[in-house]
Every structure is written in structure tokens, then in C-alpha cells.
Amino acid sequence: MGRRKLEIKRIEDKRCRQVAFSKRRKGLIKKANALSILCDVDVGVVIISNDGTARLHEYSSTNSVTGILQRYDSHVETEKEISAEIQVTEHSKYSSMATRELLQETERQLEKTNADDLAVTDLIHLENELQAALIQIRSRQTNLLLESVKGLHEKEKLLREENKHLEDNIATTIKKNRRGNEMSDLQPQRVTLNFL
Amino acid sequence: MGRRKLEIKRIEDKRCRQVAFSKRRKGLIKKANALSILCDVDVGVVIISNDGTARLHEYSSTNSVTGILQRYDSHVETEKEISAEIQVTEHSKYSSMATRELLQETERQLEKTNADDLAVTDLIHLENELQAALIQIRSRQTNLLLESVKGLHEKEKLLREENKHLEDNIATTIKKNRRGNEMSDLQPQRVTLNFL
DNA sequence: AACCCTATATATAATAA
DNA sequence: TTTATTATATATAGGGT
């Protein structure tokens, strides 16, 4: 795209690399913006450079980054409804919807391509699709984490209640004991624990 | 870039929009790939289309998506070390490092630009930088969530131990009672509470 | 680092297959 | 729906400021 053809490999000259980075980063974000507007889709771009000081550059068509991430979540939510199983069947979740489509796509690709000219671009494409599946799994993990927190809070509450009951129990037992020892007449205990 | 100049606004014809999406998506990912290789940086692209069936497309220069997200985390981790405060001071975290740089950059931009020709591109740039700050805050939230889970697990363990002690306490109390009062019909209580 | 310039490389809109 | 063609629009390498 410039004065001469450029091989796609790391630019060794630091100066040139830096300039190219600045230009191409701008270009990439511009294209991301055009794509999102022209085709009415949400696009997010993240660039992490490591030249000495690691810097983070970002673009998102949605107002906030959390916005696009919430879209992830709702996307994942939909899949969850389809395979609303428990942890034991967790494995089956990975073969739902998009993942199944992905495998079909892979088969199609392999069918129509001779082993000879299995283009690198094809492989890159498949790789990207697989990565898309991975990000979905990651989102799923985030959701599970949130559920985990919720569950743990409930557990904590129940355990605290149980503790309270047990303490009361001990208190009354001791009291009655004392009384019973004095009057030689111990009363039967009733231990009632109601929760859940 | 085609037969005629195209305004950057939503393509109304669904057919054209679909074709443009397919092409531009491929183009964007190709450019993202070139950028990451040429300039030796990590790049992630996320595209969410909503044409009826919401679909998620993704690209990441790192082997796994979690990889690039871990880079986020470590990036955030560094900032955390600098302002390692508790939740109460949470607010102060938002004005650390990158955010401070960001504000300086904003000032610089506003200084050198007349109100007249404050280019849209400048605004877009600033917007993107602000979004970068937002994604960092989001990562921070994820970290806090993970810490929360850890803390809750510890809490749970302590509560369970406490419960065990209390149960033992009750058991021995009852045993002693019975021994000291043979005719009593008092039965040792079994307090078993299983949840989750 | 951020802009200009310009020759060239790439991307892609319209169109057809 | 994708795929191929092709004319045109954009992006950008190298060079200078």
C-alpha cells in the first residue's frame, strides 16, 4: 500500500515500526468505525503495544466498553438458555450453537480444499473462528463467576443463621441444665432449626 | 474504495449491507493481523452483528483470547500496585497513571486546537482514549470480583468450622446431661444441615 | 512524535456469473 | 448465498519537515 510491496513480517527498524504502528493503528480504527456504521454492527478493537512502556489503545462503536461487553454477556445468556444444565454437563455446553456451526464450517472448508493449496488465509480464518468460540467460553466463565459470588453470599447467610440457632440452643441447654440440677428435674430438649 | 465514493452512513439496502459486512469484516481482520505482525503488538477485534441472528465474530493476534485478556489484567495489575487502596478509596484509583496521562493529553489537544477547527477526528481520538480508560476500569472490576470470590470461600470455611465446634459443644452438653440424669427421656440431637 | 507528499499497494462497490 | 471482475477509492511506505 505504499511505495513498494511490504512483506507481512515484523518491521525490524524500530523507527519505521513505530511510524507504521501509528499510521496503521489509525487506519484500523477508522475501518472499524466505518464497518460499524455502514453495516450497523458493534465493533471493538483492542491494541496493546509493548515498546518499553506497555500501552493500551482501544476502539468501540458502542458508547461504553462495558456496552459491548454486555452484548457478549447477553449473547452468551441466550446460549445458556438453550443448554441450561449443571456443571456436570458443562462439557455439552461447548458443543452448542455457534460451536456446532463452527465445526460445520471447518468441515466445509476442508472438503473444498485440496491438501495442496490449503491456503494460509483459510487456516487463519478457521483459527479466528475458533478464537471466537474461545471468547464465548470465557464469557461463560465470567457469568459462572458472577453466579458463584451470588451463591456464596447465600451460603454465608445460611451458615450465619445456623450459627445463631446453635448458639441459642447452647444457651438454653445450659440454662435448663442449671435449673434441672437445682430441682433434679431436667426437661426434654427441643432443637428446632428452620431454614431453607 | 469501490466504483464510487461511499458516504459513511448505514447502508439501507439489506443485501448490500450484508455483502459489505462480509467484505469489510474480512478486510478489518486482515488489517488487524498485519498490524500485529508488522508492528509486533497484540490486537483483538470483536464484531457483533445483529441481523436477525446475533452473531459474534472475533480476531486476536494472541493464541488464545484469554491471552490478550490476561494482558489487560496484568496491565491493570501494574496500576493496582501503584494505588493499592481499599474500596473506600476506590475513587482515587480512577485518577491514576493512564487516566492522568489521558487528561493531560486532553488538555494538550484543547490547547492547540481553536474552537473553530476542533476536528471530529480529534474528538473521536479523545473518545477512544476515554474508552481505553473505561476498559481498564472494567478489568479492575473483574479482579475485584475474583478477590471477592476468594474472600467468600475463606469466610465459608471459617463459618463451617465454627458450626462444627458448636455442634460438638451441644453433643457433649447433652451427653453430660443424660449421664447426670439417667431417667430423662432426653435424646441426643442430631443436627445435620446439608445445603449446596 | 505528528504531518505533508506522492507513488504504489490494497480494499472494495458495483456488477455479473 | 458466495465468488470473480474491474474500476475506483483508500491506505500507506518512504521521504521530507
Side-chain angles (χ1 to χ4, degrees), chain A residues 1 10-11 31 38 40 42 44 46 48 50 69 71-72 75 101 131 138 162-163 177 186 189, chain B residues 1 10-11 31 38 40 42 44 46 48 50 54-55 63 65 69 71-72 138 163 177 181 186 193:
Chain A
M1 237 156 177
R10 185 189 143 102
I11 297 169
K31 287 226 170 269
L38 290 169
D40 195 23
D42 289 333
V46 172
I48 302 175
N50 316 295
L69 291 171
R71 298 294 289 277
Y72 273 170
H75 196 272
E101 281 174 23
Q131 283 170 343
R138 196 238 164 212
E162 187 183 345
N163 263 3
N177 247 7
L186 186 72
Q189 296 275 335
Chain B
M1 248 153 172
R10 185 190 142 102
I11 297 169
K31 288 223 171 273
L38 290 169
D40 194 22
D42 290 333
V46 172
I48 302 175
N50 315 294
R55 276 167 155 285
N63 287 333
V65 175
L69 291 171
R71 299 295 290 275
Y72 273 170
R138 195 238 166 213
N163 264 6
N177 257 3
N181 205 332
L186 181 71
L193 297 165

Side-chain angles (χ1 to χ4, degrees), chain B residues 96-157:
Chain B
S96 65
M97 279 282 286
T99 314
R100 234 180 288 129
E101 281 176 23
L102 172 60
L103 289 174
Q104 286 172 5
E105 169 68 16
T106 309
E107 280 173 32
R108 247 179 292 148
Q109 290 277 354
L110 291 175
E111 267 174 36
K112 77 176 180 190
T113 326
N114 305 336
D116 283 346
D117 54 17
L118 182 69
V120 178
T121 50
D122 290 340
L123 289 174
I124 288 174
H125 182 249
L126 287 176
E127 192 188 341
N128 291 338
E129 296 292 327
L130 285 168
Q131 284 169 343
L134 275 175
I135 213 170
Q136 289 181 354
I137 288 165
R138 195 238 166 213
S139 297
R140 213 168 274 136
Q141 287 174 339
T142 302
N143 276 333
L144 287 172
L145 203 60
L146 282 169
E147 278 170 26
S148 171
V149 168
K150 208 171 124 190
L152 284 168
H153 273 297
E154 278 168 18
K155 239 190 225 169
E156 185 191 348
K157 199 181 155 198

Side-chain angles (χ1 to χ4, degrees), chain A residues 1 6-11 17 20-21 24-25 28-29 31-32 34-35 37-50 54-60 62-66 68-69 71-72 75 101 124 128-129 131-132 134-136 138 142 145-146 148-149 151-153 155-156 158-160 162-163 166-167 169-170 173 177 186-189 191 193 195-196, chain B residues 1 6-11 17 20-21 24-25 28-29 31-35 37-50 54-60 62-66 68-69 71-72 75 101 128-129 131-132 134-136 138 142 145-146 148-149 152-153 155-156 159-160 162-163 166-167 169-170 173 177 181 184-186 189 191 193-196:
Chain A
M1 237 156 177
L6 189 70
E7 258 192 287
I8 299 297
K9 54 183 272 191
R10 185 189 143 102
I11 297 169
R17 180 149 37 89
F21 176 61
R24 281 177 175 272
R25 173 161 50 86
L28 185 71
I29 287 175
K31 287 226 170 269
L35 173 63
I37 293 173
L38 290 169
C39 305
D40 195 23
V41 295
D42 289 333
V43 179
V45 176
V46 172
I47 304 165
I48 302 175
S49 58
N50 316 295
R55 276 170 156 285
L56 177 67
H57 307 267
E58 207 270 342
Y59 163 80
S60 165
T62 317
N63 287 334
S64 70
V65 175
T66 45
I68 205 165
L69 291 171
R71 298 294 289 277
Y72 273 170
H75 196 272
E101 281 174 23
I124 289 173
N128 291 339
E129 296 292 328
Q131 283 170 343
L134 274 174
I135 212 169
Q136 289 182 354
R138 196 238 164 212
T142 302
L145 203 61
L146 282 169
S148 170
V149 168
L152 283 168
H153 273 297
K155 241 192 223 171
E156 185 191 347
L158 290 172
L159 282 166
R160 285 200 189 285
E162 187 183 345
N163 263 3
L166 288 169
E167 274 169 25
N169 199 331
I170 287 173
T173 304
N177 247 7
L186 186 72
Q187 293 299 316
Q189 296 275 335
V191 182
L193 297 165
F195 28 76
L196 280 174
Chain B
M1 248 153 172
L6 188 70
E7 256 192 289
I8 299 297
K9 56 182 273 192
R10 185 190 142 102
I11 297 169
R17 181 148 37 87
F21 176 62
R24 281 177 176 272
R25 174 162 49 84
L28 186 71
I29 286 174
K31 288 223 171 273
N33 183 53
L35 173 63
I37 293 174
L38 290 169
C39 306
D40 194 22
V41 295
D42 290 333
V43 179
V45 175
V46 172
I47 305 164
I48 302 175
S49 59
N50 315 294
R55 276 167 155 285
L56 177 67
H57 306 267
E58 207 270 341
Y59 162 80
S60 165
T62 317
N63 287 333
S64 70
V65 175
T66 45
I68 205 167
L69 291 171
R71 299 295 290 275
Y72 273 170
H75 198 271
E101 281 176 23
N128 291 338
E129 296 292 327
Q131 284 169 343
L134 275 175
I135 213 170
Q136 289 181 354
R138 195 238 166 213
T142 302
L145 203 60
L146 282 169
S148 171
V149 168
L152 284 168
H153 273 297
K155 239 190 225 169
E156 185 191 348
L159 281 166
R160 285 204 189 279
E162 194 180 340
N163 264 6
L166 287 168
E167 277 174 29
N169 202 330
I170 288 174
T173 306
N177 257 3
N181 205 332
S184 168
D185 57 350
L186 181 71
Q189 297 281 336
V191 185
L193 297 165
N194 298 323
F195 35 77
L196 289 172

